[in-house]
Amino acid sequence: MSVFIIRRLMQSALVVVIMSFIVFSGVFLVGDPVEILVSDDADQEEREMMIKSMGLDKPFLVQYGIFISKAIRGDLGDSFVFQEPALLLILDRMPATMELAVVALLIAIVFGIPLGVWAGLKPESLASKSIMTGSILGFSLPTFWVGIMMILLFAVVLGWLPSTGRGDVQIILGMPISVFSWDGFSHVLMPAVNLALFKLSMVIRLARAGTREVMHQDYIKFARAKGLKEQRIILVHVLKNILIPVVTVLGLEFGGLVAFSVVTETVFAWPGMGKLLIDSIGLLDRPIIVAYLMIIVFLFVLINLLVDICYSILDPRVRLQDIKS
Amino acid sequence: MSLSESPTIEVKDLKTYFFTKGGIARAVDGVSFSVGRGKVLGLVGESGSGKTVTGFSILGLVDEPGRIVGGEILYRGENLVSASPDRMRELRGVNISMIFQDPMMTLNPVLRIDTQMIEALQAHESISKDDARQRARDVLGQVGIASPDERLRSYPHQFSGGMRQRVAIAIALLNKPDLIVADEPTTALDVTIQGQILYEVQKLCSQTGTALIWITHDLSVVAGLADDICVMYAGRIVEQGSVNSVLDKPMHPYTDGLISSVPSRNKRGVPLAQIPGMAPSLLKLPKGCSFGPRCAHFSNACDSIPDISNYENGRQIRCHNPLGAGTTLRVTD
């Protein structure tokens, strides 16, 4: 196990280094931040000074070298706009995004698995067919449109939920969290549901497909032949088997949930790092874009590792060990 | 079986049909037999002859689109065909248990052996986990698994095929059932393991008085194990009687064909005898005797489905032109 983790950590470090190069050169190609940041009436000398202060006068590879040597020491550069360390700016907004993503993930699991198992057990019933049709909508409707429609319905017409912002936050374990107060919860509910819809549909489909497959296995029939109650067969024998693909996919998708909360955060004006990214792209604030992408890369790598470990707990056939090549 | 004792299981004119889009498949069509305490019945036939469906019908585990449409299954006088699903669940695993064909598929891959054994006990009686584990351990030892304590904590994939089948047999034996339906339990195993398992199952049945229905297509297994034999073809029993009389003097041409196609060292160099043709599709059974088109003794009479005729020593044959009919007395009742 420990050998496996060490090896995976080394692979992960390599992935992070390669991604840093791709991200850095990608951002370098897009636009000239000086054009946006410098005031219109600045003369050539002021422009030169600005370029120099941002380090943009040096050749690309030298800039990259400086970036890497600082990054190793935990400094991903200062924001052009805020004049503050980019990493701190992002980390400052990370709890909001994480909270949104975790709530969305919980919604997807808590509703997706039971609905999917139900649809898998009774594939011919009207309820199951409605669930499956609903999941197609969840897959195909664009997030931003659903978000706007939700605001229209629940905030404007019915007036049940607030349309924007984060509401009350409490400091829990040093992080600002909003779900534990009613005001905060009412703010997080709509964006979280919006973000969860796609994953919810996916969980439903995975759980349904898994259930239908597992129900026909001999070991389910054997479990029946043992005289087990139906609820034990479903809650233990079926559920544990279908959790394997669900955990794998959800784990991998959690990174996506964080990365693509950009759209939801924009629609609901949720003060998370996705919204910061969109603002920074508009201003060509390179350090923030780079830092954001590096954090996302890091997150994906970390999640993959965690999924592998989870997987081995659920499926005894996959015990992580040093595989001799 | 002795007449004084009522049989453990009595199947009377059982009909299990599958209602498919292509038509009605009569997988089991009027099957009758009975098994007494401590006796072993060999249910023989080729793939698709309805042996397995007969077994599942007894346990009430016929999958959709299959349904028991007629007949009775009397377990100690109680008709299981009309029993409620709850009653069937109570009986399954305690009074009637089943061993499946493929040991690689019968154990849940993500649950430990102890979980799968303890739940089988706890489903039927309130027994503490420790006591249940103790029972499981004892039974594992009984079926010849070394160091059962350690094995209980293993997962199925850590066992070989033979060991898994032993575990499955141990689970079937856990609650000391009156009847075990064993569906080709040794087919997937190699011959030495098969021999050991046969020996152990036979020993256990005679010790505990458990009745056993052994479904197989292997006549040599039946010859060594069973007391009585039923030969099935296309959903019907074509011949039944005691193992010795049926195997020594087969009367149905199909039984005769099966016996003569068993390879033997006495027939070295001679091509193996085989039954011409293929087993018919259950959706398109031939008119009359379903074995007719493949039978060397086909006559005009075979255009109608033959009834069961009784011969001495309780033998029953479903054939218009039985072999050696002159030498075996026909009983009219």
Side-chain angles (χ1 to χ4, degrees):
Chain A
M1 186 83 170
S2 53
V3 176
F4 169 83
I5 291 176
I6 291 167
R7 177 174 296 181
R8 278 299 300 267
L9 284 177
M10 284 162 66
Q11 289 172 352
S12 309
L14 189 68
V15 170
V16 171
V17 170
I18 293 173
M19 277 308 295
S20 74
F21 185 77
I22 296 174
V23 164
F24 197 83
S25 47
V27 171
F28 195 83
L29 291 173
V30 187
D32 182 2
V34 179
E35 292 297 333
I36 290 173
L37 292 172
V38 83
S39 57
D40 290 339
D41 52 355
D43 58 20
Q44 189 59 29
E45 199 175 349
E46 283 171 333
R47 288 180 71 98
E48 298 281 324
M49 270 180 64
M50 185 150 212
I51 291 172
K52 206 166 187 127
S53 74
M54 293 192 292
L56 297 176
D57 55 336
K58 301 185 179 71
F60 168 69
L61 281 178
V62 175
Q63 284 189 36
Y64 179 67
I66 293 169
F67 165 73
I68 282 291
S69 72
K70 279 183 170 174
I72 290 169
R73 279 167 277 155
D75 178 7
L76 292 174
D78 289 353
S79 158
F80 293 158
V81 180
F82 298 93
Q83 306 295 335
E84 279 177 58
L87 192 63
L88 286 185
L89 278 171
I90 293 170
L91 289 183
D92 199 35
R93 292 166 195 237
M94 202 182 216
T97 297
M98 284 297 174
E99 183 178 26
L100 189 61
V102 168
V103 174
L105 189 72
L106 287 178
I107 291 173
I109 294 172
V110 169
F111 291 94
I113 291 178
L115 287 175
V117 170
W118 175 270
L121 289 175
K122 298 189 182 344
E124 299 303 323
S125 78
L126 187 66
S128 305
K129 285 182 176 160
S130 319
I131 292 170
M132 295 322 288
T133 313
S135 80
I136 294 174
L137 291 180
F139 261 123
S140 38
L141 293 178
T143 312
F144 72 89
W145 184 81
V146 176
I148 293 168
M149 287 301 125
M150 284 169 77
I151 290 176
L152 197 62
L153 182 62
F154 294 108
V156 178
V157 177
L158 297 170
W160 291 350
L161 295 168
S163 62
T164 56
R166 202 176 170 199
D168 284 350
V169 290
Q170 290 147 305
I171 305 295
I172 292 162
L173 297 172
M175 280 188 297
I177 303 288
S178 62
V179 280
F180 297 112
S181 69
W182 168 245
D183 182 59
F185 181 73
S186 68
H187 277 84
V188 82
L189 189 61
M190 209 154 46
V193 168
N194 182 230
L195 190 57
L197 275 182
F198 188 85
K199 308 295 166 200
L200 177 69
S201 310
M202 195 170 62
V203 172
I204 288 176
R205 299 209 147 238
L206 278 173
R208 175 182 182 266
T211 305
R212 294 205 64 183
E213 189 186 318
V214 170
M215 285 310 282
H216 288 106
Q217 297 290 326
D218 267 6
Y219 53 77
I220 297 300
K221 208 163 194 184
F222 189 64
R224 292 225 168 88
K226 287 195 289 193
L228 299 187
K229 291 201 172 78
E230 201 62 23
Q231 71 205 57
R232 178 159 179 101
I233 292 177
I234 291 163
L235 292 181
V236 177
H237 286 252
V238 176
L239 202 59
K240 203 162 177 211
N241 275 288
I242 65 164
L243 277 183
I244 296 168
V246 171
V247 165
T248 315
V249 174
L250 269 188
L252 295 175
E253 292 282 334
F254 183 73
L257 214 50
V258 173
F260 300 114
S261 64
V262 173
V263 176
T264 301
E265 284 182 11
T266 310
V267 171
F268 291 91
W270 185 260
M273 52 186 200
K275 188 154 185 311
L276 177 68
L277 175 73
I278 291 290
D279 296 345
S280 302
I281 290 174
L283 294 169
L284 280 179
D285 197 345
R286 281 186 192 171
I288 290 193
I289 302 172
V290 172
Y292 175 85
L293 290 173
M294 290 316 295
I295 286 173
I296 294 294
V297 168
F298 183 73
L299 208 64
F300 267 88
V301 165
L302 184 73
I303 287 167
N304 278 339
L305 184 67
L306 291 179
V307 167
D308 279 342
I309 293 169
C310 262
Y311 201 88
S312 75
I313 294 168
L314 277 174
D315 191 341
R317 288 165 295 185
V318 188
R319 286 290 180 235
L320 305 179
Q321 42 192 240
D322 186 22
I323 299 154
K324 293 186 176 68
S325 48
Chain B
M1 79 201 64
S2 68
L3 291 169
S4 57
E5 203 179 328
S6 70
T8 305
I9 188 98
E10 200 174 358
V11 175
K12 284 184 184 167
D13 198 29
L14 177 69
K15 289 179 179 164
T16 306
Y17 293 174
F18 285 79
F19 299 86
T20 67
K21 278 178 189 147
I24 299 171
R26 294 175 168 83
V28 177
D29 199 7
V31 162
S32 306
F33 59 80
S34 64
V35 193
R37 225 179 104 77
K39 294 288 179 191
V40 181
L41 173 78
L43 200 54
V44 182
E46 56 197 301
S47 304
S49 59
K51 322 180 290 277
T52 302
V53 177
T54 307
F56 281 138
S57 300
I58 293 172
L59 274 99
L61 287 177
V62 180
D63 283 329
E64 288 288 317
R67 221 162 52 224
I68 298 176
V69 293
E72 289 182 326
I73 299 167
L74 299 173
Y75 165 73
R76 295 185 155 180
E78 180 181 354
N79 188 2
L80 302 185
V81 174
S82 54
S84 71
D86 275 346
R87 175 68 186 144
M88 283 310 293
R89 191 194 67 75
E90 281 172 21
L91 289 173
R92 275 200 295 267
V94 188
N95 304 74
I96 306 172
S97 57
M98 184 154 182
I99 308 167
F100 285 46
Q101 179 169 4
D102 185 356
M104 308 310 265
M105 300 301 297
T106 43
L107 299 172
N108 193 324
V110 300
L111 298 176
R112 288 200 322 208
I113 301 298
D114 54 358
T115 314
Q116 302 196 42
M117 294 188 81
I118 290 168
E119 67 179 3
L121 284 163
Q122 288 187 327
H124 299 290
E125 54 184 303
S126 50
I127 178 173
S128 77
K129 245 190 168 134
D130 286 339
D131 291 348
R133 184 187 303 274
Q134 187 64 34
R135 278 259 289 283
R137 207 190 70 113
D138 294 345
V139 180
L140 278 186
Q142 222 180 337
V143 295
I145 285 183
S147 55
D149 273 320
E150 200 180 304
R151 288 313 208 163
L152 272 176
R153 286 190 299 272
S154 309
Y155 286 95
H157 69 279
Q158 292 165 314
F159 288 77
S160 68
M163 293 292 254
R164 284 193 214 188
Q165 196 60 301
R166 278 164 200 262
V167 173
I169 291 170
I171 291 175
L173 293 172
L174 262 183
N175 289 305
K176 301 190 176 64
D178 295 325
L179 172 69
I180 298 177
V181 179
D183 182 13
E184 307 203 36
T186 57
T187 308
L189 307 178
D190 63 62
V191 183
T192 45
I193 306 292
Q194 178 175 331
Q196 289 172 21
I197 286 183
L198 284 179
Y199 169 74
E200 274 152 18
V201 168
Q202 202 168 18
K203 195 174 72 183
L204 289 167
C205 283
S206 58
Q207 279 169 359
T208 57
T210 302
L212 180 64
I213 298 175
W214 194 276
I215 299 170
T216 183
H217 59 253
D218 189 342
L219 285 172
S220 58
V221 168
V222 172
L225 178 74
D227 300 294
D228 295 311
I229 183 171
C230 288
V231 181
M232 282 192 77
Y233 186 80
R236 297 195 186 96
I237 292 179
V238 292
E239 175 157 16
Q240 62 182 309
S242 75
V243 162
N244 291 337
S245 66
V246 171
L247 293 185
D248 288 348
K249 230 198 283 175
M251 292 178 70
H252 195 284
Y254 177 63
T255 318
D256 185 50
L258 281 183
I259 293 170
S260 41
S261 55
V262 174
S264 153
R265 54 195 292 167
N266 302 328
K267 293 186 275 187
R268 209 175 266 268
V270 182
L272 278 176
Q274 56 176 356
I275 306 172
M278 302 239 300
S281 154
L282 289 171
L283 291 173
K284 274 188 222 141
L285 283 183
K287 204 162 82 70
C289 175
S290 40
F291 187 60
R294 303 172 72 185
C295 184
H297 304 267
F298 186 79
S299 68
N300 287 339
C302 302
D303 280 338
S304 68
I305 297 173
D307 285 331
I308 291 171
S309 33
N310 294 296
Y311 288 84
E312 61 179 344
N313 301 327
R315 284 189 71 173
Q316 296 183 325
I317 287 98
R318 203 188 262 276
C319 182
H320 290 296
N321 305 312
L323 308 171
T327 56
T328 311
L329 272 181
R330 180 161 179 175
V331 187
T332 45
D333 44 7

